[in-house]
């Protein structure tokens, strides 16, 4: 007849159809299945059926109801996709926000321990300014859609501009900041601090 009844990817035998099961005396509630039509259309259905009892209590037939839940299933899938996209967005955003924090943390350590007028302290201040500006550009409402677009596959990794320069250039600047802070030589004695 051009319709196959499927459940969990498997065809359902005629004897296992819910009305036939109910006709043998069993109640059926909220049994989900898919109607697959010859043209490839799939309709998601939920079925319930009750046996019709003879005077002696034996099953003499059944009555059933089918409800098309295709729209609900599509909405549920859409919600799952949106949740998945949100989680990916938050993971990338979290990563992007953490990247500038390591150079800032190291620069603060340098500032706490180096002479205020030293070249190292000046470089540390520049790193903090640059990384702080990067954070500001990143959380600016104008750039969040760009991050989201990258997550959704609208831009190839390393090619999406956020603020000045490409993401790969910004990552390299952050790496350079991190490495340059690691190369700082601190004084060994208290007298050398001043």
């Amino acid at each position: 007849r051009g319709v196959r009844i499927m459940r969990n990817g498997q065809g359902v035998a005629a004897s296992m159809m819910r009305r036939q099961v109910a006709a043998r005396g069993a109640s059926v509630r909220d049994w989900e299945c898919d109607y697959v039509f010859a043209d490839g259309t799939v309709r998601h259905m939920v079925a319930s059926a009750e046996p019709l009892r003879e005077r002696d209590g034996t099953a003499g037939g059944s009555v059933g109801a089918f409800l098309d839940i295709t729209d609900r299933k599509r909405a549920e899938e859409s919600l799952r996709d949106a949740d998945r996209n949100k989680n990916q967005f938050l993971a990338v955003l979290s990563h992007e926000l953490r990247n500038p924090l390591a150079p800032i943390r190291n620069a603060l350590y340098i500032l706490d321990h180096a002479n205020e007028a030293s070249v190292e302290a000046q470089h540390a201040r520049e790193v903090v300014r640059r990384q702080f500006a990067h954070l500001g550009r990143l959380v600016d409402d104008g750039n969040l859609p760009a991050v989201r677009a990258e997550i959704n596959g609208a831009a190839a990794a390393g090619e999406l501009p956020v603020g000045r320069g490409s993401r790969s250039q910004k990552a390299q600047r952050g790496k350079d900041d991190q490495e340059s802070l690691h190369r700082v030589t601190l004084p060994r004695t208290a007298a050398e601090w001043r």
Side-chain angles (χ1 to χ4, degrees), residues 55-193:
R55 290 183 193 258
D56 63 1
T58 61
S62 67
V63 62
F66 290 82
L67 179 63
D68 187 335
I69 58 170
T70 304
D71 291 340
R72 184 186 87 190
K73 288 291 190 180
R74 287 181 186 148
E76 288 171 355
E77 184 60 31
S78 179
L79 287 173
R80 279 191 294 276
D81 287 345
D83 191 51
R84 213 172 6 257
N85 288 340
K86 174 202 59 145
N87 289 339
Q88 288 174 342
F89 173 74
L90 290 175
V92 170
L93 183 60
S94 173
H95 175 75
E96 290 295 327
L97 291 174
R98 271 193 310 271
N99 276 345
L101 294 179
I104 291 172
R105 183 183 59 234
N106 290 339
L108 289 173
Y109 179 83
I110 299 297
L111 291 171
D112 285 345
H113 295 91
N115 182 321
E116 190 175 308
S118 71
V119 173
E120 291 85 2
Q122 179 57 34
H123 177 69
R125 282 190 284 280
E126 289 171 11
V127 167
V128 170
R129 280 188 200 98
R130 187 167 45 250
Q131 295 301 326
F132 185 76
H134 172 64
L135 280 170
R137 284 188 305 270
L138 187 63
V139 297
D140 179 6
D141 285 343
N143 287 320
L144 287 179
V147 174
R148 180 174 293 139
E150 181 177 352
I151 295 165
N152 290 333
E159 294 177 2
L160 181 68
V162 178
R164 287 185 343 222
S166 70
R167 291 178 49 82
S168 59
Q169 290 169 333
K170 293 169 111 14
Q172 184 61 48
R173 271 201 307 272
K175 183 176 181 235
D176 292 345
D177 286 347
Q178 187 76 4
E179 288 174 359
S180 67
L181 287 174
H182 284 162
R183 289 190 299 260
V184 172
T185 305
L186 294 176
R188 295 178 193 194
T189 65
E192 293 178 294
W193 284 107

